[in-house]
Amino acid sequence: MKPLEQFLEIFVAFFRASNLAFGGGPAIIPLVQAEVLNHGWMTIEQFSEGLAIVTSLPGPIATLLSGFVGYNVGGWLGVLAALLGTLALTSILVIVLTDFLMKNSESPVLKGALTGVRPLVTVLVAKTAFDMGSSAFSSLWSWVIAGLAMICLYKFKLHPGIVIILSMVFGIIVLR
């Protein structure tokens, strides 16, 4: 595929995903996953591993995820295409619609529309978590690590960062 065609394909995929996502960063995950799998750019396992990496980094999930996928698909040109697709229309709409939203923030119609979208976002995030969980828990050791992580978080109240590091070390020792 020619670089320009690939650039446009990545741009359109992320443009579509980011502009249909409503409800913040987690809402874009199932849409990006669908684009990635439909284009055959990655397997569900590769996407899940990449998502685990980008969610451990500081910053907005949408841009981190688009950068990760863009780089894997098209190198640095892919990163540029994915980021432009993710940010282009959203940036323009924020600039144009901010005044309208501020003037109509108490509108029952606007509040109703925003409230009506929340259950859909919840279902999309839950479906993505289920799909990724199905591939992530492929061995008994995966379940053991998850169980120990939950115990560390809820019973011993360990900081999530410490639990992530302990899980990585345990995984390296047991699963390599």
Side-chain angles (χ1 to χ4, degrees):
M1 181 179 292
K2 294 180 182 175
L4 182 59
E5 291 173 3
Q6 188 178 37
F7 181 89
L8 287 173
E9 188 176 2
I10 296 168
F11 174 84
V12 168
F14 279 90
F15 185 82
R16 187 174 30 236
S18 69
N19 291 299
L20 294 175
F22 191 87
I28 197 172
I29 296 169
L31 300 172
V32 170
Q33 178 187 12
E35 291 288 345
V36 167
L37 297 178
N38 289 342
H39 283 90
W41 291 334
M42 293 178 186
T43 65
I44 186 70
E45 291 81 12
Q46 292 168 323
F47 181 81
S48 298
E49 290 171 3
L51 182 62
I53 292 167
V54 301
T55 55
S56 68
L57 299 171
I61 186 70
T63 54
L64 292 169
L65 188 58
S66 62
F68 170 77
V69 173
Y71 186 78
N72 279 316
V73 174
W76 289 107
L77 191 62
V79 171
L80 180 63
L83 286 173
L84 285 175
T86 300
L87 300 173
L89 185 62
T90 306
S91 299
I92 293 167
L93 287 175
V94 166
I95 293 167
V96 172
L97 293 177
T98 297
D99 187 51
F100 170 78
L101 291 172
M102 296 306 281
K103 288 180 182 175
N104 296 298
S105 64
E106 296 301 318
S107 164
V109 173
L110 184 59
K111 285 183 177 180
L114 295 175
T115 302
V117 171
R118 285 185 193 142
L120 174 63
V121 171
T122 303
V123 168
L124 286 174
V125 171
K127 182 194 180 307
T128 301
F130 178 77
D131 290 346
M132 291 182 349
S134 298
S135 67
F137 291 99
S138 57
S139 72
L140 177 63
W141 284 113
S142 299
W143 286 99
V144 170
I145 292 171
L148 291 173
M150 285 182 56
I151 292 169
C152 289
L153 287 170
Y154 294 109
K155 183 163 177 65
F156 298 113
K157 309 280 188 225
L158 284 179
H159 188 277
I162 295 171
V163 174
I164 290 170
I165 292 169
L166 290 173
S167 297
M168 287 186 338
V169 170
F170 189 77
I172 290 169
I173 292 168
V174 174
L175 297 175
R176 68 173 163 151

